[in-house]
Amino acid sequence: MKRRNFVQSSVLAGASLLTTGVLKAANTTATDSTKPFHLNYGIHDGMFKSHAGADFIDQIKFAYDNGFRAIEDNGMAGRPVEQQKKIGDTLAKLGMVMGVFVQPGLGNDTNMLASGKAEYLDKFIASCKEAVEVAKRINSKLVTVVPGDFVRNLPIGIQTGNVIEAMKKGTAIVEPHGLIIVMEPLSDNPNLFLRTPDQAYAICKAVGSPSCKILYDMYHVQRNQGNIITTLDWVYDEIGYYQIGDNPGRKEPGTGEMNYKNIFKHIYNKGYKGVMGMEHGTAGEGKEGELALIKAYREADSFI
């Protein structure tokens, strides 16, 4: 699988949207405007490789020079430890923030928490412990968890109870370290257990921990049910993180049917200070495509 009130006042709020001074990368700035965005959009590896090259750290510096102040990296836990530390050091020097990484060692077929089986719970607990160590190296406070597939021979209430119990055990491990598990409702296939924000909301309320929150991926919400702003308001106090992607196509804002300028304005006016993960592709190719992506974010972010 390709993955992803406490959080909004956590160290993520220290994202340096007010950082002054610019640490220039080896590449020249690609846009006229280098000022930080109103919201803290987080790039991912490969997003600016045409300008900055294959090295993720060079891409991070390029992103900084163009106003971005955060990253996310689903595969961070799989990177060598020294590379994790190097990325963490780079973010610290730039005054940037780390968004989510995917909990290590867990995929849709290895994280069947809805089943209630001990083998999956044991893997989940071990993964929580490993996630704590990864988070320390990169100064991250957010780890993505997908509970896995729907179990067709169990009633939905039993499955929900199994996920709640697993999350209680997981948050008991990560909460003392200030790490937050964000559960992500997905739309990738019909076998998934967790599909809507309201479903995740009920689990968060039952777990009752500041370390159990919702990853509100707007692309998936749009595909599953739409009604983004209203749905967002319903579950807002349990949202720990947002991800972006227009639909159809899962590319940058402005390439699909979603009005991201209005959505971003709404989130901004609610006072959210955390990272907005840019979990999408680029509609165009090469340097022109990357410049178009930056321009798209400048446009969607121009709600003030």
Side-chain angles (χ1 to χ4, degrees):
M1 185 139 210
K2 291 184 180 179
R3 345 239 194 278
R4 2 234 160 302
N5 308 334
F6 173 75
V7 97
Q8 294 160 3
S9 60
S10 73
V11 295
L12 285 177
S16 57
L17 293 172
L18 301 178
T19 301
T20 58
V22 176
L23 181 62
K24 294 293 182 182
N27 301 280
T28 58
T29 303
T31 59
D32 293 334
S33 179
T34 61
K35 66 180 181 180
F37 292 88
H38 295 107
L39 288 169
N40 200 14
Y41 309 111
I43 73 153
H44 60 76
D45 193 0
M47 187 157 271
F48 294 126
K49 64 182 180 181
S50 293
H51 277 94
D55 191 312
F56 189 25
I57 289 177
D58 288 339
Q59 295 176 41
I60 292 170
K61 293 176 181 178
F62 175 85
Y64 180 94
D65 289 346
N66 284 278
F68 297 96
R69 294 293 181 267
I71 73 166
E72 65 174 19
D73 186 31
N74 286 341
M76 180 65 74
R79 294 182 184 273
V81 170
E82 287 306 312
Q83 189 178 28
Q84 292 176 14
K85 291 178 179 178
K86 191 174 180 180
I87 291 172
D89 290 344
T90 300
L91 295 176
K93 289 176 183 177
L94 290 166
M96 294 178 72
V97 180
M98 176 68 199
V100 293
F101 64 97
V102 172
Q103 192 149 337
L106 296 181
N108 203 40
D109 56 346
T110 58
N111 199 29
M112 295 279 291
L113 298 183
S115 72
K117 292 183 178 180
E119 61 184 288
Y120 296 115
L121 183 59
D122 290 345
K123 289 179 181 178
F124 178 63
I125 295 302
S127 179
C128 288
K129 293 176 180 178
E130 186 179 348
V132 168
E133 299 307 311
V134 175
K136 289 177 182 178
R137 299 180 198 121
I138 55 177
N139 194 28
S140 175
K141 296 296 178 183
L142 294 157
V143 57
T144 303
V145 166
V146 176
D149 281 351
F150 186 85
V151 182
R152 298 187 181 277
N153 64 344
L154 289 177
I156 185 65
I158 301 301
Q159 294 184 63
T160 301
N162 290 338
V163 173
I164 290 168
E165 288 305 304
M167 292 300 294
K168 284 182 177 179
K169 290 179 170 60
T171 54
I173 293 169
V174 305
E175 187 176 333
H177 302 278
L179 187 60
I180 302 158
I181 295 173
V182 286
M183 296 182 297
E184 184 175 14
L186 296 172
S187 64
D188 295 318
N189 67 69
N191 295 320
L192 293 160
F193 167 78
L194 190 62
R195 299 188 64 83
T196 62
D198 57 286
Q199 186 187 5
Y201 181 87
I203 294 170
C204 288
K205 290 300 184 186
V207 173
S209 167
S211 285
C212 179
K213 294 293 178 182
I214 301 167
L215 195 169
Y216 193 95
D217 187 318
M218 291 175 276
Y219 167 78
H220 288 296
V221 176
Q222 179 70 7
R223 292 186 73 205
N224 276 333
Q225 61 187 142
N227 207 23
I228 298 290
I229 289 177
T230 299
T231 304
L232 185 159
D233 286 342
W234 286 340
V235 303
Y236 182 74
D237 64 323
E238 294 295 344
I239 295 175
Y241 193 81
Y242 293 90
Q243 284 180 327
I244 303 159
D246 214 336
N247 181 64
R250 197 169 190 154
K251 299 296 191 293
E252 66 265 26
T255 57
E257 65 191 358
M258 301 168 69
N259 189 335
Y260 265 108
K261 182 182 283 190
N262 280 353
I263 295 170
F264 288 163
K265 181 180 181 180
H266 188 75
I267 293 171
Y268 178 86
N269 287 339
K270 292 185 79 69
Y272 180 75
K273 302 295 184 183
V275 176
M276 307 275 289
M278 300 161 64
E279 195 179 51
H280 57 74
T282 305
E285 297 181 357
K287 290 185 177 181
E288 289 186 2
E290 293 174 3
L291 294 180
L293 181 147
I294 297 171
K295 183 179 179 181
Y297 270 91
R298 287 293 174 193
E299 171 59 26
D301 190 70
S302 64
F303 48 76
I304 294 178

